[in-house]
Structures are given as structure tokens and as C-alpha cells.
């Protein structure tokens, strides 16, 4: 009689893989974003362009200062020139487009399918993408904020005195710019997640950031002037604009409070991330 020997099967297979680590997800999304040659080029051009705009605005204020009326010389607001609202609408629109293309581009190329085969956890993938986008655009916003103010001080300091990096309120302006840029990018990502069409997404983002702030100030049916102002103050553009005001001389109409402006930006960021992370779970790619 012979005895058959059996070998116990291993309890686990060496090839079984666990959930993707956050470090790997963030690294993969960083590579996707930064490996596109257009990304560093666009970000670099934006930074240089807005530093130049700040220089030109400061030079104009410096040269025209002797002709200012007395009340303007008593209460100057260099931040109003360094962070000119209409000019910064283009930065918002570009940041929104960068965020939108990070999502729409993957859907158009089919890369999103490959990504989700490797990492089926859709929510984690999109959250990692949002985190990388936030970090990159926040650095851009910080450099723009510090650079614009630094250049303004360097140009105007011999005529318009009393301002520095310790001026009360200036770090609110810089922080607001640092937050505003990624908020616009996250809004663009949410728009791309909902629309899922490259041309339609870009059109919607540009219309929202370039036309929206102007359209909401136009006479709208069934809305009073105060209601239109309240509606406008909820937009990221006007929330950032409120944070950049350092002189009461520029409060020419109904504006929201500073806490309300921070809350508005935070709500846009949270809602945008929520849309980006959750909607893809219920859609085919």
C-alpha cells in the first residue's frame, strides 16, 4: 500500500496585487501632466506675461502719480494695478482650460481606459488627478501673486511709499491668487467630466470665465441690481476680486465680505472635486 503525499497550495499568490498606493497614483498623474510639452510652456508663458503686465501697470502708475488728484494720492492702492481684474480673467480662463483638457484629453485619446484597467478604483484616480492639478496651479498662482507684487514695489517705491510685503492685506491678496488659480482648474475638470466633449468643454470654460463675469452684471430679467450683484459675488472671479481690494476707494458697488469670498472659492473647489470624483463612477468610458 502506498501513501500519496500532497503539497499544500500557498494561501496567497505572489502575483496578487493590492490597491494602488497614493504615491504611485500621484506620480502617474504628475507624469501625464508634465510630460505634455505644452504644460510647462503654457505655465511659463502665463507667469512671464502676468509679471510683464504688472510691470507695465506699475510703470504707468509711477509716471502718472504727479497728476493724480489729492484724494487718490492720499489713499493709493497699488494692488489694484498689480492685480487688475479684467486682465486676470484670461488667467482664470487658461487655468480652467488646463484643468478641462487634463480630463477631456484623456477621454478623447482613450488613455482613461488604459488607466482604469490598471487602477479600477475610478474615484482614487480622479482624486489623484485633482490633487496634482491643484498643486501645480497653486504654485503658479503663488509665483504670480508674489511676482506681481514684488515687481510693483520695485517700480513705484521711489514715488508711492508705505507699501511692502508686510502691508496689511497684501498676503490676503497673494493667498487669494494662490487659491483662485487651482479653483479655476478644478472647475474646468468638473466641466470636462460632465460634458465629455473637448470642443464643448473648452467653449463652456471660456464662456464661464470670460463672458460670465460680464454677463452677470448686465440687466437680467426678474433680478434687481442687488440680486445681480449677489449672484456675481458667488463667481470665482468676483470672489478673487474682493480679496484683492485693499482700498475703500475702489468699493464702488455692492460687494461681498472677505469671509464670503473665501467661502465662495472653497465651495467651488469642493463641488468641482466632488463632481470630478463621483460622476465617472456611474459612466462608461
Amino acid at each position: 500500500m502506498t501513501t500519496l503525499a500532497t503539497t499544500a497550495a500557498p494561501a496567497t499568490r505572489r502575483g496578487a496585487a493590492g490597491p494602488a498606493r497614493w504615491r504611485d497614483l500621484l506620480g502617474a498623474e504628475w507624469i501625464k501632466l508634465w510630460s505634455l510639452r505644452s504644460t510647462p510652456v503654457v505655465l511659463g508663458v502665463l507667469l512671464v506675461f502676468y509679471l510683464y503686465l504688472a510691470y507695465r501697470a506699475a510703470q504707468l502708475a509711477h509716471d502718472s502719480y504727479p497728476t493724480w488728484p489729492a484724494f487718490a494720492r492720499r489713499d493709493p492702492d497699488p494692488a489694484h494695478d498689480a492685480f487688475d481684474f479684467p486682465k486676470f480673467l484670461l488667467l482664470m480662463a487658461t487655468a480652467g482650460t488646463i484643468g478641462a483638457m487634463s480630463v477631456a484629453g484623456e477621454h478623447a485619446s482613450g488613455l482613461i481606459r488604459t488607466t482604469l484597467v490598471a487602477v479600477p478604483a475610478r474615484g482614487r484616480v480622479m482624486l489623484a488627478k485633482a490633487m496634482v492639478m491643484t498643486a501645480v496651479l497653486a504654485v503658479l498662482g503663488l509665483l504670480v501673486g508674489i511676482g506681481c507684487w514684488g515687481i510693483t514695489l520695485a517700480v513705484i517705491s521711489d514715488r508711492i511709499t508705505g507699501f511692502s510685503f508686510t502691508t496689511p492685506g497684501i498676503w490676503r491678496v497673494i493667498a487669494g491668487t494662490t487659491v483662485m488659480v487651482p479653483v479655476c482648474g478644478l472647475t474646468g475638470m468638473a466641466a470636462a467630466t460632465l460634458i465629455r466633449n473637448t470642443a464643448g468643454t473648452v467653449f463652456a470654460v471660456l464662456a464661464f470665465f470670460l463672458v460670465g463675469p460680464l454677463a452677470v452684471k448686465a440687466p437680467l430679467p426678474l433680478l434687481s441690481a442687488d440680486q445681480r450683484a449677489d449672484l456675481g459675488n458667488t463667481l470665482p472671479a468676483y470672489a478673487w476680486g474682493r480679496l484683492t481690494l485693499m482700498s475703500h476707494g475702489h468699493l464702488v458697488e455692492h460687494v461681498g465680505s472677505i469671509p464670503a469670498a473665501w467661502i465662495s472659492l472653497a465651495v467651488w473647489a469642493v463641488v468641482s472635486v466632488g463632481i470630478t470624483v463621483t460622476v465617472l463612477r456611474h459612466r462608461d468610458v
Side-chain angles (χ1 to χ4, degrees):
M1 182 175 181
T2 59
T3 302
L4 298 177
T6 60
T7 303
T12 59
R13 293 179 296 174
R14 293 174 61 89
R21 296 176 298 181
W22 277 110
R23 182 179 63 186
D24 298 330
L25 290 174
L26 295 173
E29 294 302 328
W30 165 258
I31 292 172
K32 287 182 190 177
L33 179 64
W34 207 252
S35 62
L36 296 173
R37 285 179 293 181
S38 60
T39 300
V41 170
V42 171
L43 297 181
V45 169
L46 282 174
L47 177 59
V48 172
F49 179 64
Y50 277 91
L51 295 183
Y52 173 75
L53 290 181
Y55 167 78
R56 291 294 299 169
Q59 190 65 55
L60 179 61
H62 175 273
D63 294 342
S64 62
Y65 181 73
T67 66
W68 288 9
F71 74 88
R73 290 199 299 269
R74 285 195 303 269
D75 188 22
D77 185 4
H80 185 262
D81 297 320
F83 302 92
D84 186 51
F85 181 83
K87 295 175 183 176
F88 270 73
L89 292 180
L90 178 61
L91 176 60
M92 300 176 198
T94 307
T97 302
I98 292 172
M101 291 306 298
S102 71
V103 175
E106 283 201 34
H107 282 282
S109 66
L111 180 59
I112 189 65
R113 298 187 184 92
T114 304
T115 300
L116 295 181
V117 168
V119 185
R122 299 184 175 193
R124 288 165 61 90
V125 170
M126 299 309 293
L127 183 57
K129 186 184 295 294
M131 291 169 66
V132 170
M133 184 62 61
T134 298
V136 170
L137 294 182
V139 171
L140 174 63
L142 179 62
L143 293 176
V144 169
I146 292 177
C148 287
W149 185 242
I151 287 176
T152 300
L153 292 178
V155 174
I156 69 172
S157 58
D158 63 331
R159 279 189 175 177
I160 306 175
T161 60
F163 294 93
S164 68
F165 275 97
T166 60
T167 299
I170 191 56
W171 281 104
R172 183 192 72 229
V173 177
I174 295 173
T177 305
T178 303
V179 171
M180 173 272 291
V181 179
V183 167
C184 295
L186 293 174
T187 303
M189 292 180 67
T193 302
L194 294 173
I195 299 173
R196 299 182 65 180
N197 176 272
T198 303
T201 299
V202 171
F203 176 81
V205 169
L206 294 178
F208 178 75
F209 286 109
L210 296 179
V211 181
L214 304 178
V216 77
K217 296 298 184 179
L220 298 175
L222 306 179
L223 293 180
S224 66
D226 286 344
Q227 289 173 329
R228 293 197 305 272
D230 291 336
L231 177 61
N233 290 335
T234 63
L235 297 179
Y238 285 109
W240 170 81
R242 178 63 184 94
L243 296 175
T244 63
L245 292 178
M246 295 178 60
S247 170
H248 293 293
H250 292 288
L251 300 180
V252 295
E253 60 180 52
H254 177 66
V255 297
S257 65
I258 290 174
W262 285 118
I263 292 172
S264 178
L265 291 176
V267 168
W268 277 101
V270 171
V271 172
S272 296
V273 171
I275 291 173
T276 302
V277 171
T278 60
V279 168
L280 190 62
R281 294 178 180 177
H282 308 289
R283 282 184 173 181
D284 295 331
V285 295

